Amino acid sequence: MRFRRGDFPEGFVFGTATSAYQIEGSALGGAGPCHWDTFAATPGNVIRAEDGARACEHVHRWPEDLDLVRDGNFDAYRFSVNWARVLPEGRGAVNAEGIDYYDRLVDGMLERGLQPWLTLYHWDMPSDLAMRGGWTNPDVAGWFTDYARLVMGRLGDRVTATATINEPWCVAWLSHFLGIHAPGLRDIRAAAHAMHHVLLAHGTALQALRADGHRDLGIVLNMEVCAPASDAPEDHAAAARQDAIFNRWFLEAITQGTYPPEALEGLEPHLPRGWQGDMAQIAQPLDWLGVNYYTRRFHQAVPGQPWPSSREVPGTGPLTGSGWEIYPDGLEQFLRRTGAAVGDLPIHVTETGMAWPDQIVNGAVGDAERIAFMDAHLAAAGRAREAGVNLKGFFCWSLLDNYEWADGYDKRFGLVHVDFETLSRRPKASYLALADALTRRP
Ligand code: FCB
């Protein structure tokens, strides 16, 4: 691996990331059901109808997993709390076993010298709230704020940084317009409501947490390069619409309190009445911003089809095991673009990584593809930093092979291989290369 810690300044944070539903085992420890449990139990939604009931059994095996983070020479561990583990019905009665578990997990990080980076919502909407409309119900801002205050009341004194929501585009658009993630809706009005309410929930919770005295509060946005499929002006316009939906909607709302006209042209008729009155609440001051980056996609205009009147066409570059184009320059572009939008606010790459069909061969997992991927993306992050972006950290997705949502256990993103029969963990070559690189200073 070319990368070494000394390429970045002293104090730059290197971490690895996971999320609760993807690793913990949602059937364990008294968690309530969430919408992923029922989405997965409905035929056709997830490969082999796999769910997170057992996953990596992290809820029992967390000490071993935190040892892996420490022994990988990382500084920080980004994890999430499963809402339904803490509040099985989403509100009301607390599952003491659940909140105690997170308490021990955070202490376990501190004992190992790791910074705890908490995400409050990484997609596990409790089923009781999902049945009341989940992200389409305006009450979700209040439900989420109550839950956030409860978790932070217990963990907030020891976490280094807190994100309200992971990837609002996935929460809203992927899940309510494209129908690919839970709850699997394909409805523009539901999508528009979710696009607004997810941001309102972020702003409302952030304001309440700040009033409670918490600091180091932020949000994690995913960004994806939306490129035109050809030089035709219609394809440029199609790509601009997708860029407005995917990237600008969230970044401009939280930094300026506005939505981009290219997205409003399709979504405004479907937004909740009086949405304009919420924009100041959404644009709360932040302490940091997380950027997740994976790929670039190409968009082609489809005249005559309903808004946004476009479809995706395959790119030409090398692909990961998920079929996502490997395009490290996109990370540099987004960090520069985000830096220009947020000025001095600290930015962190909170996720990047790739799926590959890694196999154990003669007791080892050689994932040269992932080493090259991480090298290229760390270099891209370094270029953005040298260009003046206030980039302070970089987290690899993911510590472990895990439940990759609609792809089930098919796509392996881990630095550590997991055998889903025995649940034994085995560091891959990329983990070992990073562990070594993180000790190397010039
Ligand atoms: C991101 C998600 C994460 C994981 C990676 C591959 O969009 O935040 O949970 O699924 O993609």
Side-chain angles (χ1 to χ4, degrees), residues 188-189 192-193 263-273 275 307:
I188 195 167
R189 196 167 184 83
H193 278 57
L264 280 176
E265 79 187 7
L267 292 181
E268 187 164 15
H270 305 294
L271 281 170
R273 237 187 312 281
W275 62 272
W307 188 91

Side-chain angles (χ1 to χ4, degrees), residues 18-19 22 78 122-123 166-167 169-170 174 181 220 222 292-294 322 324 350-355 397-398 402-405 411 413:
T18 63
S19 88
Q22 294 179 274
R78 177 171 174 248
H122 200 128
W123 307 355
N166 179 70
E167 301 192 346
W169 179 87
C170 293
L174 186 67
H181 278 190
V220 169
N222 54 322
N292 292 357
Y293 172 77
Y294 287 93
S322 310
W324 300 354
T350 32
E351 286 180 28
T352 192
M354 68 177 284
W397 184 270
S398 180
N402 59 40
Y403 180 66
E404 178 50 20
W405 309 112
K411 304 293 179 215
F413 274 90

